Amino acid sequence: MKSALSLARTSYTQVLKRPTLLPLKSLGYRGLHHQPALKDSSCNANNSPTSSNPPLSFPCIDKMESRTLELDSGPEPSYDNIVTGYEKFEYPHPFLLDHGGILPKIDIAYETWGTLNAKKDNAILIHTGLSASSHARSHAKNTKPGWWESFIGPSAHIDTNKFFVICTNALGGCYGSTGPSSIDPADGERYATRFPIITVFDMIRAQFKLLDHLGIDKLHASVGSSMGGMQSIAAAKLFPDRVKRLISISACARSHPYSIALRHTQRQVLMADPNWNKGFYYKGIPPHVGMKLAREIATISYRSGPEWELRFGRKRSNENQSPALCPDFLIETYLDHQGERFCLQYDPNSLLYISKAMDMFDMSRSESEKLQRQRQHNLPKIEQILKHRQQLERPDEEDARIMAEACRSIIGTQSALEGKQEEKNMSAKPAEDKKNRLTTLSSDPATQDLVEGMKGINMPTLVLGVQSDILFPVWQQKEIAECLRASGNNRVTYYELDAMFGHDTFLIDRVSVGGAIKGHLELLDDESV
Amino acid sequence: MKSALSLARTSYTQVLKRPTLLPLKSLGYRGLHHQPALKDSSCNANNSPTSSNPPLSFPCIDKMESRTLELDSGPEPSYDNIVTGYEKFEYPHPFLLDHGGILPKIDIAYETWGTLNAKKDNAILIHTGLSASSHARSHAKNTKPGWWESFIGPSAHIDTNKFFVICTNALGGCYGSTGPSSIDPADGERYATRFPIITVFDMIRAQFKLLDHLGIDKLHASVGSSMGGMQSIAAAKLFPDRVKRLISISACARSHPYSIALRHTQRQVLMADPNWNKGFYYKGIPPHVGMKLAREIATISYRSGPEWELRFGRKRSNENQSPALCPDFLIETYLDHQGERFCLQYDPNSLLYISKAMDMFDMSRSESEKLQRQRQHNLPKIEQILKHRQQLERPDEEDARIMAEACRSIIGTQSALEGKQEEKNMSAKPAEDKKNRLTTLSSDPATQDLVEGMKGINMPTLVLGVQSDILFPVWQQKEIAECLRASGNNRVTYYELDAMFGHDTFLIDRVSVGGAIKGHLELLDDESV
């Protein structure tokens, strides 16, 4: 049962259920403006007693209403129960974010497969898509299949006989890592939309705190698809000396407006659900309707026309039923089902924050510099916090460690900043030779800015795109590859697949996607030069 | 001010405005689970007094809430005022629909430009897209620019010095033609979702009643884009002897699942708005939030990535503002604006019914035959209605005319049906010669079914598609052209444009789209053979 607050949040249910509980007549639908039936009421002969034709029914609306009622009387949905068996790394220090927010502490949920070797140089970090957990593959503590189950394992494409594979739940997520549904230590309440804006770079900094904790200095590879592909590139940029190989699948170097538009509509439908309540729904009914709708839109952006043409064509869910405004064609019941399956499986606020982080992702030099300036501006806040703490407590060993950590955090940022400054000096000279190497790349300032921003990513890189992807179209994959080449990386491999599964191909096409990954991970060092 | 009923429908507003009117504290947000601040509250130093970071603001939610409040106290929105200056054709007889519904009478709003010649053979019928009115071009009675303003006029692409141009508001619409917002004569109330399901073929039958009324036996051309292109093909199929030339732009011969999915999500977000109230919102607050969201999704399907890349890129609406979950990038404020502009301009129920008619559009022979069987099955209803009327009233001249019309309607259907039967007999023979003519067309049964369904459309035809269109992709345009050719039409012209405006190119690209139309309309008769 919910708290008293939830009662105030049931209005949506009440509105929805009105037509069911109260017949239209008793609502005064006819009563208010009722007029004597006109001559043409003879058309009524075979229909309902009041209208020319019978009213349509809306089982899809009734179903949403039932779920609202169930949620009102059922237990609070917990995302912790959805994914289990992960490890949790607790970083107990203030964590500065790119846009000025500070998390007092962060948790990162992670799972591993395979064994870290003595040299600690066989680790592969897998970055996930928007809503995925750290459960990329099954293991003893959680035997459910993972989201990349068949790609990872002994002798699989990501071979756990050779590699120590790590996957985390992204910062901002809800499957064990700190996110909007976590408790704000400041007042013991969930963050909700008091959670600060995060970036893909913030996610990477959090992951590398975990790598520090595991004693891993250098990754054999950073691997990711979709948002994970953005993260993979971001990791190579922030920590170029700690990433030996880079794989980015169906991602981009900067989000383009069409993909922003697709995510924008998902956020808007979610936020328009009254139960979202500006993010403060944790004690009430979750915005399951908004989440369902958001997932349906997302599914359209994840799949492709040709696949659905083959899979669903124009089949209807029940050929004998009259056409309806509720789901009717098989493609509609499929989308409906996708939405329903997801609507209580993922924290709505996590969706908003992480989807926004994807929109903001931009490897351009100007954007990186802006974020660096912001970090510099906000660093004193961390010092202030630590000083404040010292005033509250006796300085002891624990506090010293905090201070040390804070310094390390500051130094890490400074060195990245120095790297930027160096680039700035370089680009002050006319870069004629670079321009000559741009092939299909545009020479407009925005592209040049991106080329400059990709500098320093010089490890062997695999970029893979899918021709039927509308969310991260192949021209964006080509852009990654060409910008890397133009910025000086001469070890870039670019594959374009003609698979028909759209953006989701990376989850499905074991042979083509898995094969490319394996090939790149297992290249001999001298082959990859 | 609204009726008493509207009070019961304000719950959405109440939910939305709660966060504004009642601060979270007074809602018990902290009160219920308040715990003493933990050690880490030191992170609070520079932030709000209760949380680690300040809460985000949501001006986009506040704005929707304000509109709800305004609508609650303002006058009922009327779609009649949005478009004015049209003529209205009243067909005062029962009108049988493909899926068995019967409209006691129908109105068709229309506008004309140019002059009908003495032979009455220079008429061009323009079919609109989903939500357009009959106002394709300005004229004395309505001087506002129309939706195809620059395409129609003296010496324009559709030359009113030569042609008599007619445009109608589609059956099911809200700009003067009978639709869900019209009054059901049976009880004097608006139809709402007591309106029966309609098809594109029903729209055509209604338009041809208008042509009968105008004394136009044969059109010089049937011209349409998007849904109008479907209608254009449907007109040529239902009335092959009354259409001399056919133009179909950015349409299809049958809706594919990806386009159904895009329309499905629009319908779902609209229907999920509590103010939609299963379609009975006319006396309450209209579902402006659902309409806004539906339009934003539609806009994504109407435009293209390359266009937005050039037009918006990654520009933000205010570069100095912190990133926000409400519209932030310029593409988001653009979508937001498109949604707001539309949300009170078009009847939500019209959107549902017409969008559904588009989903169902399928020129396949099996589908046509199914609809014909349904019509035959339902025809007795019309007779029953008329008999019932005779029993109620003295048989007079008026009733006789009704009877005659009903017969004519029946005969019209029968002849179409006979045509079908003839085709059936033809296709019973092995059609080896036809198969040989299929070039890039698939030989699967669904495609063969479509080829069979396109038979009889033998007039000179122009099919035009745009490569950046994701809603009606070029493969669907190619499908129309090739199915027509395979079904025996040897006068099919197929143009594929590389324009970057996506589906909306037909509204924008005067030179390429307008030029193709003009060329086809003004071909000499002997050139078009």
Side-chain angles (χ1 to χ4, degrees), chain A residues 3 5 8 11-12 15 18-20 24 27 29-30 33-35 37-40 42-44 46 50-53 55-56 58 60-62 99 101-102 104 184-190 193-194 196-197 254-258 260-262 264-265 267-269 271-272 274 276-278 280 283 289 293 296-297 300 303-305 308-309 313-314 316 323-325 327-329 331-332 335 352-353 356 359-362 370 384 388-389 393 470 475, chain B residues 5 8 11-12 15 18-19 24 27 29-30 32-35 37-40 42-44 46 50-53 55-56 58 60-62 99 101-102 104 184-190 193-194 196-197 254-258 260-262 264-265 267-269 271-272 274 276-278 280 283 289 293 296-297 300 303-305 308-309 313-314 316 323-329 331-332 335 352-353 356 359-362 370 384-385 388-389 393 470 475:
Chain A
S3 71
L5 180 62
S11 309
Y12 190 43
V15 172
R18 203 177 338 103
T20 310
L24 286 169
L27 263 176
Y29 175 73
R30 293 190 60 230
H33 285 238
H34 187 241
Q35 294 170 3
L38 303 184
K39 275 187 184 180
D40 283 316
S42 55
C43 286
N44 249 330
N46 285 324
T50 60
S51 56
S52 296
N53 296 275
L56 300 185
F58 295 98
C60 56
I61 302 295
D62 298 336
H99 286 292
I102 296 172
D184 182 351
D187 64 358
E189 295 288 334
R190 291 182 194 256
T193 46
R194 308 175 311 165
I197 292 284
R254 56 182 171 193
S255 287
H256 70 127
Y258 207 75
I260 294 174
L262 285 161
H264 160 89
T265 50
R267 289 193 297 266
Q268 290 292 306
V269 298
M271 286 160 58
W276 178 65
N277 194 31
K278 292 190 172 177
F280 295 90
K283 289 168 188 162
V289 173
L293 298 170
E296 295 193 41
I297 299 169
I300 292 179
R303 293 298 179 121
S304 89
W308 286 352
E309 187 68 19
R314 294 186 44 79
R316 293 179 61 220
L325 296 180
D328 181 358
F329 284 95
I331 177 65
E332 294 183 275
L335 287 174
L352 295 175
Y353 278 87
K356 178 71 194 175
D359 285 7
M360 292 189 294
F361 184 64
D362 184 353
K370 189 179 148 194
Q384 230 176 329
H388 187 63
R389 184 175 214 159
E393 301 172 331
I470 67 157
W475 66 261
Chain B
L5 181 61
S11 311
Y12 189 42
V15 171
R18 204 180 336 105
L24 287 167
L27 265 175
Y29 175 73
R30 292 192 60 229
L32 284 172
H33 286 242
H34 187 240
Q35 294 171 2
L38 303 184
K39 273 189 183 179
D40 283 317
S42 55
C43 286
N44 249 329
N46 284 324
T50 59
S51 57
S52 296
N53 297 275
L56 300 185
F58 295 97
C60 56
I61 302 296
D62 298 337
H99 286 291
I102 295 172
D184 183 350
D187 63 359
E189 295 287 335
R190 292 182 194 255
T193 46
R194 307 174 313 165
I197 292 284
R254 56 181 171 193
S255 288
H256 68 128
Y258 207 75
I260 295 174
L262 285 161
H264 160 88
T265 51
R267 289 193 297 268
Q268 291 292 306
V269 298
M271 287 160 58
W276 178 65
N277 194 31
K278 292 191 172 177
F280 295 91
K283 289 168 187 162
V289 172
L293 298 170
E296 295 192 42
I297 298 169
I300 293 179
R303 293 300 179 120
S304 89
W308 286 352
E309 186 69 19
R314 294 186 44 80
R316 294 179 60 218
L325 295 180
C326 273
D328 180 358
F329 284 96
I331 177 64
E332 293 182 276
L335 288 174
L352 294 176
Y353 279 86
K356 178 70 193 175
D359 285 8
M360 291 189 295
F361 184 64
D362 185 352
K370 189 180 149 195
Q384 230 176 329
I385 289 163
H388 187 63
R389 182 174 216 162
E393 302 172 332
I470 67 157
W475 68 260

Side-chain angles (χ1 to χ4, degrees), chain A residues 264-409:
Chain A
H264 160 89
T265 50
Q266 293 166 48
R267 289 193 297 266
Q268 290 292 306
V269 298
L270 171 52
M271 286 160 58
D273 183 335
N275 283 321
W276 178 65
N277 194 31
K278 292 190 172 177
F280 295 90
Y281 50 77
Y282 294 106
K283 289 168 188 162
I285 297 170
H288 64 97
V289 173
M291 279 297 274
K292 175 173 179 287
L293 298 170
R295 186 60 170 192
E296 295 193 41
I297 299 169
T299 304
I300 292 179
S301 74
Y302 293 160
R303 293 298 179 121
S304 89
E307 179 206 353
W308 286 352
E309 187 68 19
L310 270 184
R311 186 167 168 193
F312 304 113
R314 294 186 44 79
K315 279 184 219 125
R316 293 179 61 220
S317 58
N318 181 345
E319 293 290 343
N320 298 320
Q321 230 160 33
S322 300
L325 296 180
C326 274
D328 181 358
F329 284 95
L330 208 54
I331 177 65
E332 294 183 275
T333 49
Y334 164 80
L335 287 174
D336 197 66
H337 178 68
Q338 294 297 320
E340 288 193 1
R341 238 179 37 167
F342 185 74
C343 71
L344 296 172
Q345 294 286 309
Y346 190 65
D347 178 45
N349 285 335
S350 283
L351 180 68
L352 295 175
Y353 278 87
I354 296 187
S355 130
K356 178 71 194 175
M358 291 174 75
D359 285 7
M360 292 189 294
F361 184 64
D362 184 353
M363 287 293 298
S364 301
R365 175 188 170 148
S366 59
E367 191 59 26
S368 300
E369 287 178 348
K370 189 179 148 194
L371 293 183
Q372 289 298 340
R373 280 194 300 274
Q374 284 180 187
R375 291 188 73 80
Q376 266 210 308
H377 173 79
N378 289 313
L379 271 174
K381 281 190 195 170
I382 295 275
E383 285 165 43
Q384 230 176 329
I385 289 162
L386 296 177
K387 257 189 211 158
H388 187 63
R389 184 175 214 159
Q390 276 184 315
Q391 285 165 358
L392 290 175
E393 301 172 331
R394 252 182 346 118
D396 56 13
E397 206 178 317
E398 176 65 12
D399 264 349
R401 198 162 69 81
I402 291 172
M403 192 63 89
E405 278 296 330
C407 289
R408 207 159 87 80
S409 166

Side-chain angles (χ1 to χ4, degrees), chain B residues 362-378:
Chain B
D362 185 352
M363 287 293 297
S364 301
R365 174 187 170 149
S366 58
E367 191 59 25
S368 300
E369 286 179 348
K370 189 180 149 195
L371 293 183
Q372 289 297 341
R373 281 194 301 273
Q374 285 181 186
R375 290 188 74 81
Q376 267 209 308
H377 174 78
N378 290 313

